[in-house]
Amino acid sequence: MYTIGTAGHVDHGKSTLIKALTGIDPDRLPEEKAREMTIDLGFAWLRLPSGKEVSIVDVPGHEGFIHNMLAGVAGIDLALLVVAADEGVMAQTREHVAILDLLELSHGVVAITKKDLVDEETLELVRLEVEELLAGTSLAGSPVVVCSAATGEGLPELVDALERELAQTPPRRDIGRPRLPIDRVFTLPGLGTVVTGTLTDGSLKVGEEVEVVPGGLRARIRSIHSHGRAVERAMPGRRTALNLPGLELEALERGMVVTRPNWLVPTNIVDVRLRVVSYLRRPLRHNMGVIFHAGTARVSGRLILLDRDEVRAGEEAWAQLRLESPVAVVRGDRYILRDPNDTLGGGTIVDVHALRHRRFHLPTLLRLERLASGAPEQRVLELMGPHGHITWGELVSQVAMAETEARQVVGELVAQGHMVVLPPQGLEADTVLASSQALGRWWEVAEEALGHYHRQWPLRRGMPREELRSRLRLPPKAFSALLSLWERDGKVRLAGEAVALSSHRPQLAGEQRRQADLFLEALRQRPYAPPSAGALDPELLSYLEEERLIVRVAPDVAFAPEAYQEMVDKVVAALQRQGRITLAQVRDMLGTSRKYAQALLEHMDRCHITIRVGDERVLRRRD
């Protein structure tokens, strides 16, 4: 599936040529008809001699509508550069070629139109002018066809040239993450809202739930149309119209992206490799205002130069773009920078959701270099950022590779000892991928936090798990897996909901030991009517409870374990004999006071041994 996009100066015959080739008039707006000039994007499709169909996007050539042209060429596979024989290369011809070169579009065909209006000598001069313009650009060496939309001369040769060039064009990749940058939004009676765009990176099918980013709106695809026909599945590289019922027309706009839910996160800051157009008369300066174009999005922002103060014509630099509104882009996307009058430059997005960097910071510049040109394994490690970890969901949304390839790269990094997967079973959206350096830093934080906790609370088994997890800022599944890893390595000891250093053992000493011995002796002396536990130091009381030296049934009531079990057994035996029992009967049976009998029965209720029915207790049924 391929999409061809036109390019060229205003009035050079792009739309007329498309109509002659396809029989479809791409100019759809009344204003375009009245002014005889393309203002917004037009669309058509062409059946090649081989029987294959290709989509066509017709873009405006007027300098005032360059932003519309940029929205149209974002998803194309081949450029059809149109140059009128009676005018030759003009201002927007040069700018459009510069844009295609910045997008690194390497497949194109040049149509020199209006052959019927000039002589052979003029045609040859225009051909030489075009070849000179394309020299040194990504479209250098593109085939040139001379034709006339008015007479039809040269049109078969033009179609043949398009088919030959498309045969050498790699098919659109399908990495399972479909994106449809919206270029049109409209409504149809009885259907509701329809969005169109050129689908990339994956397929979409009827009935599938999709999300619109930015915005987070959800809908289910009711129907899909491509080239005027209903289809069940839209494939990457094809012009596609999606019927999204339930979404308001006013809530959608050009620049949003339709995709599968829960992976594409909009961003306001991106790191980029920037190349300035060769004809620019002034340098680009640090912190200057720019207009950012990516896909069909158009957003104002500021240019932050990271390795210099200005970039001159034809030069390259590392930069960060801080945008006024969020955009839905991924690493590897191409972008263009403009001001209100000129195309300034463009290049590749190297990192999305970037942090604010220090300028002239060598480690940052080296990291960007590795992200841009490193091996897949190196790029994955670099995407972990300065903290050295990333979730699988975040990685999939940022790495420019198919999910199967990403899984393979992660597997190789794990096998080589460069990465740990938490938890190790499977890769889910919240699975954490961590470098060995991140593991080291997490252990340093945990060891210091646990050591401090043990010194502050020496009688406690350990720090509550949730408290330690909040210190490490890890999702629950990854944190549990990390604890298991540390426990296996003998670094920590897990006791219920507590975590302790393996070397930590709660121990009594001095006055605490004496008080504990006195309290335990008093429990043995008065098993059913013990002294108040409330008088004991709370930390000492918790220690005795955790070590199971006492059974605490109320804040100020505790029994020796043997006495507690004897009382429970007596109550259960009485209930088995008589079915019901009152608090007063328990008090008399045990020879204790109402306070202790009530505390015991309420504890048995909490332990699901008994259940209260009015003023009596009965045994809880065991299903």
Side-chain angles (χ1 to χ4, degrees):
M1 302 291 183
Y2 296 107
T3 297
I4 297 171
T6 64
H9 196 74
V10 64
D11 281 339
H12 276 209
K14 296 184 294 297
S15 301
T16 303
L17 180 62
I18 296 306
K19 185 176 181 180
L21 289 173
T22 68
I24 300 170
D25 186 355
D27 286 343
R28 54 189 169 81
L29 301 177
E31 187 178 356
E32 291 176 321
K33 304 291 187 186
R35 297 173 63 177
E36 297 185 348
M37 179 179 71
T38 301
I39 296 172
D40 205 350
L41 303 178
F43 308 101
W45 59 90
L46 172 67
R47 184 175 294 277
L48 299 170
S50 63
K52 295 180 180 179
E53 280 188 350
V54 293
S55 304
I56 298 179
V57 180
D58 185 35
V59 306
H62 193 281
E63 62 179 339
F65 303 109
I66 285 287
H67 57 280
N68 289 338
M69 178 270 182
L70 286 165
V73 298
I76 68 173
D77 303 289
L78 182 146
L80 175 57
L81 179 63
V82 179
V83 181
D86 59 337
E87 290 191 335
V89 171
M90 301 291 285
Q92 263 54 64
T93 315
R94 297 183 185 279
E95 186 168 15
H96 284 199
V97 168
I99 288 170
L100 297 172
D101 184 44
L102 290 170
L103 295 174
E104 292 190 353
L105 191 69
S106 56
H107 296 275
V109 173
V110 181
I112 299 179
T113 59
K114 304 184 182 182
K115 174 185 179 183
D116 52 307
L117 301 182
V118 299
D119 55 27
E120 289 298 325
E121 183 179 356
T122 302
L123 284 174
E124 185 59 27
L125 290 175
V126 172
R127 181 192 293 272
L128 293 173
E129 191 179 20
V130 167
E131 291 176 352
E132 182 182 358
L133 172 65
L134 298 184
T137 73
S138 61
L139 292 174
S142 295
V144 179
V145 178
V146 178
C147 61
S148 169
T151 66
E153 186 179 1
L155 295 187
E157 291 79 3
L158 177 59
V159 172
D160 289 341
L162 291 171
E163 182 154 51
R164 285 195 303 273
E165 194 65 21
L166 285 172
Q168 303 173 42
T169 304
R172 282 282 177 169
R173 63 180 188 171
D174 186 343
I175 59 174
R177 299 199 301 271
R179 292 186 290 156
L180 186 125
I182 297 174
D183 52 38
R184 287 182 65 203
V185 184
F186 54 92
T187 59
L188 290 175
L191 291 178
T193 300
V194 176
V195 300
T196 69
T198 302
L199 188 61
T200 65
D201 290 352
S203 62
L204 290 172
K205 62 182 180 180
V206 172
E208 184 172 2
E209 185 183 26
V210 290
E211 179 181 13
V212 180
V213 185
L217 299 173
R218 299 284 184 98
R220 199 166 291 279
I221 302 172
R222 176 185 286 169
S223 62
I224 302 175
H225 280 72
S226 182
H227 297 178
R229 296 185 300 273
V231 295
E232 285 297 308
R233 181 182 293 273
M235 304 305 293
R238 193 107 171 186
R239 288 292 307 168
T240 303
L242 304 178
N243 177 208
L244 303 178
L247 297 185
E248 297 296 329
L249 182 70
E250 297 75 16
L252 303 175
E253 61 185 24
R254 177 178 288 178
M256 292 179 169
V257 175
V258 181
T259 185
R260 292 193 179 126
N262 302 324
W263 75 271
L264 183 58
V265 179
T267 180
N268 289 80
I269 304 180
V270 293
D271 290 334
V272 300
R273 187 62 176 170
L274 169 66
R275 175 161 59 93
V276 179
V277 295
S278 59
Y279 57 78
L280 199 66
R281 296 181 179 179
R282 63 190 188 284
L284 303 190
R285 300 187 184 279
H286 169 67
N287 208 37
M288 68 180 288
V290 292
I291 302 172
F292 171 84
H293 294 261
T296 58
R298 176 193 184 199
V299 178
S300 296
R302 303 208 75 79
L303 173 66
I304 307 301
L305 296 177
L306 298 176
D307 57 357
R308 63 195 68 195
D309 292 318
E310 63 178 30
V311 197
R312 297 185 178 278
E315 293 182 344
E316 296 190 22
W318 290 112
Q320 182 171 94
L321 294 165
R322 298 175 186 171
L323 308 175
E324 294 180 1
S325 329
V327 292
V329 294
V330 300
R331 201 191 71 80
D333 281 355
R334 307 293 301 182
Y335 73 95
I336 298 292
L337 291 186
R338 299 193 83 247
D339 63 16
N341 301 310
D342 298 307
T343 296
L344 308 175
T348 306
I349 297 174
V350 176
D351 196 8
V352 295
H353 311 294
L355 302 174
R356 291 176 178 251
H357 305 307
R358 282 191 294 156
R359 299 181 64 219
F360 304 102
H361 185 234
L362 183 58
T364 296
L365 300 177
L366 292 175
R367 175 179 178 270
L368 293 176
E369 188 71 45
R370 290 190 292 268
L371 274 175
S373 57
E377 293 81 3
Q378 185 65 53
R379 296 203 305 270
V380 168
L381 290 174
E382 291 298 337
L383 282 172
M384 292 181 173
H387 300 298
H389 60 89
I390 191 172
T391 67
W392 171 248
E394 292 169 340
L395 178 67
V396 167
S397 71
Q398 296 181 35
V399 70
M401 61 180 72
E403 186 171 327
T404 52
E405 183 184 357
R407 287 179 180 273
Q408 181 179 353
V409 170
V410 167
E412 292 172 355
L413 289 171
V414 171
Q416 295 166 5
H418 298 307
M419 176 186 289
V420 172
V421 178
L422 303 171
Q425 300 83 16
L427 290 171
E428 304 294 338
D430 60 348
T431 300
V432 172
L433 314 176
S435 67
S436 55
Q437 291 85 353
L439 285 178
R441 286 194 294 271
W442 282 332
W443 174 243
E444 289 175 2
V445 172
E447 187 177 34
E448 181 180 353
L450 291 172
H452 178 76
Y453 191 91
H454 296 331
R455 290 188 294 273
Q456 186 175 9
W457 311 105
L459 295 184
R460 296 186 183 180
R461 288 185 179 185
M463 175 185 286
R465 284 188 180 220
E466 193 60 27
E467 184 176 341
L468 181 59
R469 187 178 78 84
S470 67
R471 299 281 187 96
L472 298 177
R473 300 179 181 177
L474 283 171
K477 286 199 307 184
F479 176 68
S480 295
L482 185 60
L483 287 185
S484 298
L485 180 64
W486 285 342
E487 184 182 37
R488 185 197 69 190
D489 293 343
K491 292 182 175 181
V492 300
R493 184 165 42 84
L494 306 181
E497 291 302 309
V499 185
L501 293 173
S502 57
S503 59
H504 173 68
R505 293 292 184 277
Q507 292 182 345
L508 296 176
E511 180 61 19
Q512 288 179 327
R513 168 60 64 187
R514 189 184 71 81
Q515 290 181 17
D517 290 343
L518 289 174
F519 183 69
L520 295 176
E521 180 61 27
L523 294 185
R524 287 190 288 272
Q525 293 297 325
R526 300 162 52 190
Y528 297 168
S532 173
L536 211 60
D537 175 67
E539 285 299 307
L540 178 56
L541 192 62
S542 295
Y543 167 81
L544 295 175
E545 187 176 12
E546 287 183 351
E547 294 298 314
R548 297 177 181 169
L549 297 173
I550 63 172
V551 178
R552 197 173 179 186
V553 298
D556 61 343
V557 178
F559 298 106
E562 302 82 4
Y564 171 79
Q565 193 59 51
E566 288 174 4
M567 291 187 288
V568 169
D569 291 344
K570 287 181 179 181
V571 173
V572 170
L575 284 169
Q576 289 172 339
R577 290 192 305 271
Q578 62 199 49
R580 293 173 178 271
I581 199 167
T582 66
L583 188 153
Q585 289 172 325
V586 171
R587 177 198 63 195
D588 296 341
M589 179 179 64
L590 297 177
T592 187
S593 68
R594 178 183 177 86
K595 168 186 174 181
Y596 296 112
Q598 182 174 349
L600 173 68
L601 289 175
E602 289 177 352
H603 188 265
M604 291 176 68
D605 292 343
R606 292 194 298 273
C607 292
H608 304 290
I609 300 171
T610 57
I611 185 171
R612 181 173 178 173
V613 180
D615 291 333
E616 297 176 315
R617 256 65 174 198
V618 298
L619 283 175
R620 185 179 289 270
R621 290 179 56 186
R622 304 289 182 178
D623 295 327

